[in-house]
C-alpha cells in the first residue's frame, strides 16, 4: 500500500523553483502521440505522468491527440462534447467530411482533454495520401508495412485537424504542436510543407536505426559520427530525419510517494511462497535448500531485446556470481527474475502444480489454525491456561506432514514459467543452457524467466509491476542501447537500488548530478570504454558486493536511493519541456511572444552522503559498519534524518558556462545538453 514518505526522506531535494512568466492565455497546445490513451511502450508513461503538470500550465488550452482504440476508450476515456468553440467546429467539419473524431477526458491524474482520431475510418484515403507524400516530400512508404501505413493515416489526419482548427479560430491562433516519435512525426512534416501557422516541437524517444544496429553487434557509440554520416543520405527520406523543428528530448516520470523505512514487505513474503513452490523442494530433501532470511531478489524487465537490454551480460554475470558465492561458501541465495514478454501458449505444467500445492498448503494452515483456536478457546472458557504440548494432536501433525510431502519434486524445477513457442531458439533459455544455471540445490543463483508483463489479474504472480519492484532488492539493467531508461528511474523513485550503464540516458544523468552514485544505490556500469568481458566482470563485482551487504546496510542504501526521487520529478525536469514550448512560440510568432531563456542546464550536484568517507582509500564501509548481531540496532550510529539534513546543506550547483546573448543559440544549446544527457 502506498504510504506518505517522511519528511526526512524528501529533505534532500534542494531544487529551486523555476518560475518563468509567460502569457499563454491566447496560445493553444496540441500534444500528439500514438500512445495517447493507448499503451504500447514508454511514451505512454511520458504522456501520462506529465499530463497533470502540463494541464496546470495550459489549463483549458491543452489537448492531447491520439488514435481511437475502442477497447482503450471504454476503460480510460470519458467521451464529452468539446469545450472549445473552435475545436467543436473543427471536429464537426471533419466528421461531416468523412472522418471520425472523438473528444473526451482521459481518466488519469490531471484529467486532460483528448482528441481521438479513428484512422481505420479513413483508410480509403491511404493510397492517395501516400502518393501526395511522395510527390511533395519524396517519402516512400511500403504498401505492406502496417505500422508505416498507420503513421501515414495518423499524420495526415493530425495535420488536417491542426489546419482546420487554425481556420476555425475567430482570431489568429497561436498554436503549438508537440509531436512525439516518428509515428506522429509525419504531421509535423505536413505542417511545414503546408505552411500552417503552427509552432512545432518534436521529441524523439529512441530510433529503430540505433536499436537494430546495436542488436546487430555494431560498435554503435564509438562510431556514431560515421554511422550518422554514412546513413544520412539514405535516411533523408524517412520520417525520423525530416521531422525536427525544435527538439526537446527529455524523459522523466512522476514520483510516487512511498515509505521506505523497512525492507521486508508483503511482496517479499509473497515471493518467498512463490519461489518455495516454483523452485521448491527436491525429492531427496524435505526442506527448502536455502535460507529465506539470506535471500536476495534481483530483476531485469523490459522489451525482449536480448543484447540491447543487457540480458546477455546479466546472465553471464549471474553465472560468475554463482561461482563466487559457492567458492566463498556464502549462505546468500540470489533469485533473478527476467520479466520480458515473449511468445508463449500457456503456463507450463510444473508451474501450475506449484500453484496447486501453494493452495493446499494455505488450506492446511487454515485448517490447523482453526483447530488450534478452538482448543485454545475451550481452555480459556474453563478458566485454565492451555497446555501447549496438547494444542496440536497426532492428526494435526499428520495433516501438516502430508502437505509438506506434497511439495516434493521428481525433477529439476523449470526455469521458465510458461510454455515457449520457440523454446529451442529462445536467447535467454539457450544462454541458461550454456552457462548451466538450472536451479539445482547446489546453485546459489536461481533464475526465473517470466515471459509476460506482470498483472494483478495473473493467476500465477498476481501483482502489478510497481508492487513487484517494491518487493525486490535490486534492479539490474546493463543495457547497451537505452536512450533514457525508465526501469532504473522507476526503481529510484521507489527506493530500490539499481544497476544501469553509462550508455543509458539515466546513467549519464545520474553521473552528472551525483558525486558518488554508488553511495546512493545507483551503480553505473561502464560499457562505453570497456569490452564485454571487462564490463561483465564489473557487473559481477557489483552483484557480489551487494550480496555481502547486511540487511541494515541495504535499508540505509534504500533510504538514500529514495532521496534522489525529486531529481526525476516532472517539477524539475518538466522545465525543459516548458523551455521548448516557449521557444517555439517565440520563434513562430515573434511579434507576439518574446522569450528570454533561462539556464536550464544549471542542475544540482548531490554530494556524498554525510556518513560516507570522502576517500575510497579509507577502510570503511560505504554504509555504516554493522554489528555482528544485526538485530541489535543500538550499536548502529547511523541517523537517517541527520544525514539527510547535512546532505541538503551540501547540495551545490555545478559550474556552468555564461549564457550567450542570442536567445536562439543559447536555448538550443541548453536543450541539446539535456538531449546528450538523455541519449
Amino acid at each position: 500500500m502506498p504510504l506518505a514518505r517522511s519528511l526526512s526522506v524528501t529533505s534532500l531535494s534542494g531544487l529551486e523553483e523555476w518560475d518563468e512568466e509567460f502569457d499563454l492565455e491566447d496560445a493553444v497546445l496540441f500534444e500528439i502521440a500514438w500512445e495517447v490513451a493507448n499503451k504500447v511502450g514508454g511514451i505512454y508513461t511520458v504522456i501520462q505522468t506529465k499530463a497533470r503538470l502540463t494541464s496546470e500550465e495550459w489549463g483549458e488550452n491543452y489537448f492531447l491527440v491520439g488514435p481511437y482504440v475502442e477497447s482503450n476508450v471504454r476503460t480510460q476515456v470519458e467521451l464529452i462534447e468539446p469545450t472549445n468553440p473552435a475545436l467543436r467546429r473543427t471536429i464537426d467539419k471533419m466528421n461531416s467530411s468523412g472522418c471520425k473524431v472523438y473528444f473526451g477526458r482521459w481518466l488519469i491524474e490531471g484529467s486532460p482533454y483528448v482528441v481521438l482520431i479513428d484512422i481505420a475510418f479513413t483508410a480509403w484515403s491511404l493510397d492517395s495520401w501516400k502518393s501526395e507524400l511522395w510527390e511533395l516530400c519524396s517519402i516512400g512508404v511500403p504498401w505492406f508495412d502496417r505500422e508505416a501505413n498507420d503513421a501515414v493515416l495518423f499524420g495526415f489526419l493530425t495535420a488536417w485537424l491542426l489546419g482546420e482548427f487554425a481556420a476555425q479560430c475567430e482570431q489568429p491562433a497561436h498554436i503549438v504542436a508537440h509531436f512525439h516519435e516518428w509515428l506522429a512525426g509525419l504531421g509535423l512534416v505536413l505542417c511545414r510543407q503546408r505552411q500552417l501557422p503552427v509552432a512545432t516541437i518534436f521529441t524523439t524517444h529512441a530510433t529503430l536505426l540505433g536499436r537494430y544496429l546495436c542488436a546487430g553487434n555494431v560498435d554503435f557509440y564509438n562510431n556514431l559520427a560515421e554511422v550518422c554520416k554514412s546513413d544520412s543520405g539514405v535516411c533523408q527520406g524517412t520520417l525520423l530525419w525530416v521531422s525536427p523543428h525544435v527538439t526537446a528530448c527529455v524523459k522523466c516520470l512522476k514520483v510516487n510517494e512511498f515509505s521506505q523505512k523497512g525492507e521486508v514487505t508483503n511482496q517479499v513474503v509473497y515471493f518467498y511462497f512463490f519461489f518455495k513452490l516454483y523452485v521448491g523442494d527436491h525429492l531427496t530433501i524435505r526442506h527448502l535448500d536455502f535460507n529465506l532470511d539470506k535471500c536476495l531478489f534481483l530483476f531485469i524487465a523490459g522489451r525482449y531485446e536480448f543484447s540491447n537490454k543487457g540480458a546477455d551480460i546479466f546472465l553471464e554475470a549471474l553465472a560468475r556470481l554463482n561461482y563466487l558465492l559457492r567458492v566463498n561458501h556464502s549462505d546468500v541465495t540470489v533469485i533473478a527474475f527476467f520479466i520480458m514478454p515473449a511468445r508463449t501458449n500457456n503456463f507450463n505444467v510444473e508451474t501450475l502444480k506449484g500453484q496447486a500445492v501453494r493452495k493446499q498448503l494455505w488450506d492446511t494452515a487454515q485448517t490447523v489454525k482453526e483447530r488450534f483456536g478452538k482448543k485454545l478457546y475451550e481452555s480459556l472458557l474453563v478458566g485454565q491456561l492451555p497446555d501447549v504440548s496438547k494444542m496440536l494432536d497426532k492428526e494435526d501433525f499428520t495433516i501438516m506432514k502430508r502437505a509438506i510431502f506434497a511439495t516434493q519434486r521428481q525433477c529439476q524445477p523449470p526455469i521458465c514459467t510458461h510454455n515457449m513457442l520457440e523454446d529451442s531458439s529462445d536467447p535467454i533459455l539457450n544462454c541458461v543452457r550454456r552457462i548451466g544455471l538450472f536451479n539445482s540445490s547446489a546453485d546459489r543463483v536461481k533464475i526465473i524467466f517470466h515471459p509476460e508483463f506482470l498483472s494483478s489479474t495473473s493467476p500465477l504472480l498476481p501483482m502489478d509491476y510497481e508492487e513487484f519492484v517494491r518487493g525486490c532488492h535490486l534492479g539490474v539493467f546493463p543495457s547497451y542501447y537505452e536512450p533514457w531508461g525508465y526501469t532504473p528511474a522507476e526503481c529510484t523513485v521507489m527506493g530500490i537500488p539499481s544497476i544501469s550503464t553509462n550508455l543509458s540516458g539515466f546513467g549519464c544523468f545520474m553521473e552528472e548530478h551525483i558525486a558518488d552514485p554508488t553511495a546512493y544505490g545507483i551503480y553505473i556500469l561502464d560499457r562505453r570504454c570497456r569490452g564485454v568481458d571487462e564490463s561483465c566482470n564489473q557487473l559481477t563485482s557489483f552483484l557480489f558486493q551487494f550480496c555481502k551487504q547486511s540487511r541494515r546496510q541495504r535499508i540505509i542504501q534504500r533510504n538514500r536511493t529514495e532521496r534522489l526521487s525529486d531529481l526525476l520529478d516532472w517539477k524539475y525536469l518538466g522545465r525543459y519541456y516548458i523551455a521548448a514550448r516557449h521557444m517555439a512560440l517565440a520563434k513562430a510568432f515573434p511579434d507576439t511572444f518574446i522569450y528570454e531563456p533561462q539556464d536550464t542546464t544549471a542542475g544540482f550536484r548531490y554530494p556524498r552522503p554525510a556518513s560516507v568517507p570522502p576517500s575510497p582509500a579509507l577502510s570503511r564501509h560505504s554504509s555504516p559498519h554493522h554489528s555482528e548481531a544485526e538485530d541489535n540496532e543500538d550499536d548502529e550510529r547511523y541517523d537517517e534524518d541527520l544525514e539527510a539534513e547535512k546532505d541538503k546543506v551540501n547540495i551545490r550547483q555545478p559550474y556552468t558556462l555564461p549564457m550567450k546573448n542570442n536567445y536562439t543559440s543559447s536555448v538550443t544549446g541548453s536543450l541539446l545538453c539535456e538531449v546528450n544527457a538523455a541519449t
Side-chain angles (χ1 to χ4, degrees):
M1 294 291 292
L3 302 173
R5 289 182 296 180
S6 65
L7 291 177
S8 64
V9 175
T10 58
S11 62
L12 191 60
S13 61
L15 304 178
E16 297 175 347
E17 294 293 331
W18 194 62
D19 296 326
E20 182 180 7
E21 296 297 331
F22 207 81
D23 186 8
L24 299 175
E25 183 177 353
D26 298 326
V28 179
L29 171 62
F30 288 91
E31 192 158 8
I32 302 146
W34 185 257
E35 298 195 30
V36 170
N38 177 38
K39 186 172 184 178
V40 178
I43 301 175
Y44 178 91
T45 307
V46 175
I47 303 299
Q48 181 194 43
T49 56
K50 77 178 184 64
R52 181 180 63 83
L53 184 72
T54 311
S55 295
E56 291 174 355
E57 180 191 1
W58 288 79
E60 297 289 304
N61 294 340
Y62 174 49
F63 304 98
L64 287 161
V65 181
Y68 176 84
V69 181
E70 186 175 357
S71 59
N72 295 333
V73 171
R74 284 200 302 263
T75 58
Q76 300 184 43
V77 178
E78 177 191 8
L79 296 178
I80 59 175
E81 289 296 317
T83 55
N84 184 294
L87 187 58
R88 184 188 304 114
R89 293 191 295 269
T90 298
I91 293 177
D92 291 342
K93 181 69 178 293
M94 292 182 67
N95 286 338
S96 64
S97 302
C99 300
K100 265 195 176 181
V101 183
Y102 301 84
F103 184 86
R105 279 192 182 276
W106 192 3
L107 302 180
I108 59 174
E109 191 172 2
S111 301
Y113 292 125
V114 290
V115 179
L116 302 177
I117 305 173
D118 190 345
I119 62 171
F121 198 74
T122 53
W124 51 271
S125 301
L126 180 61
D127 289 339
S128 62
W129 284 346
K130 280 187 176 181
S131 299
E132 181 180 347
L133 187 63
W134 175 254
E135 292 171 1
L136 298 178
C137 306
S138 299
I139 299 177
V141 180
W143 66 271
F144 53 83
D145 192 326
R146 171 68 181 275
E147 197 172 31
N149 289 339
D150 289 345
V152 171
L153 293 169
F154 188 54
F156 271 86
L157 288 168
T158 53
W160 186 352
L161 175 75
L162 294 171
E164 190 65 42
F165 179 81
Q168 293 292 340
C169 290
E170 297 177 355
Q171 300 294 331
H174 302 120
I175 304 171
V176 181
H178 187 165
F179 299 85
H180 289 268
E181 201 50 279
W182 72 273
L183 281 164
L186 183 57
L188 187 151
V189 176
L190 295 171
C191 286
R192 299 292 303 280
Q193 194 277 329
R194 297 174 181 179
Q195 298 183 352
L196 298 180
V198 177
T200 56
I201 304 172
F202 180 78
T203 298
T204 178
H205 297 258
T207 67
L208 291 177
L209 178 64
R211 183 172 294 147
Y212 286 118
L213 286 176
C214 289
N217 294 322
V218 174
D219 190 3
F220 182 72
Y221 292 96
N222 291 324
N223 296 284
L224 186 59
E226 294 299 321
V227 170
C228 295
K229 180 179 178 181
S230 62
D231 287 339
S232 60
V234 177
C235 296
Q236 276 183 343
T238 67
L239 304 182
L240 198 57
W241 283 69
V242 297
S243 296
H245 179 194
V246 179
T247 303
C249 184
V250 185
K251 287 191 176 184
C252 55
L253 61 153
K254 178 182 177 295
V255 173
N256 295 317
E257 296 191 350
F258 295 98
S259 174
Q260 198 58 46
K261 289 295 184 182
E263 183 180 50
V264 178
T265 64
N266 290 336
Q267 285 72 37
V268 173
V269 175
Y270 187 88
F271 283 173
Y272 286 165
F273 281 105
F274 171 78
F275 195 76
K276 176 177 174 61
L277 298 176
Y278 179 60
V279 173
D281 305 338
H282 302 284
L283 184 62
T284 56
I285 56 177
R286 295 183 179 178
H287 59 277
L288 207 61
D289 57 5
F290 53 84
N291 184 355
L292 294 179
D293 292 330
K294 295 287 187 178
C295 187
L296 298 179
F297 293 104
L298 280 54
F299 80 98
I300 182 174
R303 189 196 308 268
Y304 195 0
E305 296 178 11
F306 184 64
S307 298
N308 285 353
K309 294 298 183 183
D312 53 350
I313 192 175
F314 185 30
L315 281 168
E316 182 62 37
L318 287 175
R320 300 181 186 187
L321 175 65
N322 184 57
Y323 172 79
L324 289 176
L325 293 176
R326 291 178 64 177
V327 299
N328 286 278
H329 305 289
S330 174
D331 57 355
V332 172
T333 298
V334 173
I335 304 171
F337 287 87
F338 287 74
I339 312 296
M340 292 181 163
R343 297 181 61 196
T344 64
N345 57 19
N346 210 333
F347 302 114
N348 60 41
V349 175
E350 288 298 316
T351 304
L352 295 177
K353 283 182 179 178
Q355 288 298 90
V357 171
R358 183 201 65 82
K359 186 177 185 305
Q360 181 181 354
L361 284 176
W362 178 259
D363 292 343
T364 300
Q366 294 300 311
T367 300
V368 173
K369 184 178 73 172
E370 291 176 3
R371 292 165 60 91
F372 184 95
K374 183 179 179 181
K375 294 175 183 177
L376 177 62
Y377 171 74
E378 291 174 349
S379 177
L380 297 176
L381 191 63
V382 297
Q384 296 179 356
L385 291 176
D387 186 351
V388 179
S389 62
K390 297 180 180 179
M391 296 302 291
L392 295 177
D393 55 25
K394 185 176 180 181
E395 184 178 354
D396 294 327
F397 282 101
T398 300
I399 294 174
M400 291 187 288
K401 287 180 180 178
R402 189 187 308 127
I404 292 174
F405 288 174
T407 65
Q408 298 177 1
R409 294 184 180 274
Q410 298 283 352
C411 59
Q412 287 276 46
I415 299 293
C416 187
T417 59
H418 293 61
N419 292 324
M420 302 289 291
L421 292 180
E422 299 172 351
D423 182 285
S424 61
S425 60
D426 182 80
I428 288 181
L429 295 181
N430 280 340
C431 187
V432 169
R433 296 180 186 114
R434 180 180 61 81
I435 62 180
L437 284 179
F438 299 118
N439 295 342
S440 69
S441 58
D443 288 329
R444 298 271 47 85
V445 174
K446 320 285 186 180
I447 294 176
I448 297 178
F449 179 25
H450 188 275
E452 273 188 356
F453 283 133
L454 298 173
S455 170
S456 58
T457 60
S458 170
L460 179 63
L461 195 57
M463 61 175 64
D464 293 326
Y465 178 74
E466 188 177 85
E467 296 176 302
F468 173 82
V469 173
R470 287 269 294 150
C472 289
H473 297 91
L474 180 70
V476 184
F477 315 104
S479 303
Y480 184 69
Y481 182 74
E482 193 74 76
W484 173 240
Y486 273 111
T487 42
E490 288 166 335
C491 285
T492 300
V493 300
M494 286 186 274
I496 307 300
S498 63
I499 298 176
S500 57
T501 74
N502 58 0
L503 294 181
S504 70
F506 175 83
C508 294
F509 182 82
M510 286 302 182
E511 281 188 321
E512 179 183 346
H513 286 78
I514 306 173
D516 185 3
T518 302
Y520 284 96
I522 308 296
Y523 299 87
I524 300 176
L525 185 68
D526 184 5
R527 296 203 65 180
R528 182 182 296 274
C529 302
R530 300 191 184 200
V532 175
D533 189 63
E534 289 180 290
S535 297
C536 189
N537 284 335
Q538 186 185 22
L539 177 57
T540 305
S541 176
F542 285 161
L543 297 176
F544 187 56
Q545 293 301 319
F546 188 82
C547 291
K548 291 164 62 176
Q549 287 185 353
S550 68
R551 180 176 179 273
R552 177 65 173 167
Q553 287 175 308
R554 293 196 302 269
I555 291 175
I556 292 172
Q557 191 177 58
R558 287 169 75 123
N559 289 336
R560 290 174 180 164
T561 301
E562 195 179 11
R563 286 189 223 150
L564 303 176
S565 58
D566 286 334
L567 199 60
L568 300 172
D569 198 296
W570 280 116
K571 291 182 294 184
Y572 175 57
L573 290 185
R575 65 185 67 183
Y576 298 105
Y577 276 96
I578 294 172
R581 289 192 289 261
H582 293 182
M583 182 177 72
L585 280 170
K587 293 184 69 175
F589 310 107
D591 295 335
T592 307
F593 297 94
I594 299 175
Y595 177 56
E596 296 180 359
Q598 298 190 22
D599 187 3
T600 56
T601 63
F604 284 81
R605 184 77 168 172
Y606 279 56
R608 282 190 184 89
S611 62
V612 174
S615 171
L618 297 179
S619 57
R620 285 179 54 190
H621 292 259
S622 60
S623 295
H625 196 290
H626 66 289
S627 62
E628 293 298 326
E630 289 185 16
D631 294 333
N632 185 7
E633 297 190 3
D634 293 337
D635 293 339
E636 297 289 346
R637 292 176 292 179
Y638 168 74
D639 188 323
E640 197 265 334
D641 294 342
L642 180 61
E643 180 183 84
E645 286 301 321
K646 289 181 179 179
D647 292 345
K648 180 180 179 181
V649 174
N650 293 332
I651 293 178
R652 61 191 182 281
Q653 284 189 322
Y655 172 76
T656 55
L657 295 175
M659 295 289 291
K660 297 180 180 179
N661 293 329
N662 184 284
Y663 83 89
T664 302
S665 60
S666 61
V667 176
T668 303
S670 66
L671 290 172
L672 289 179
C673 288
E674 183 59 21
V675 172
N676 290 335
T679 58

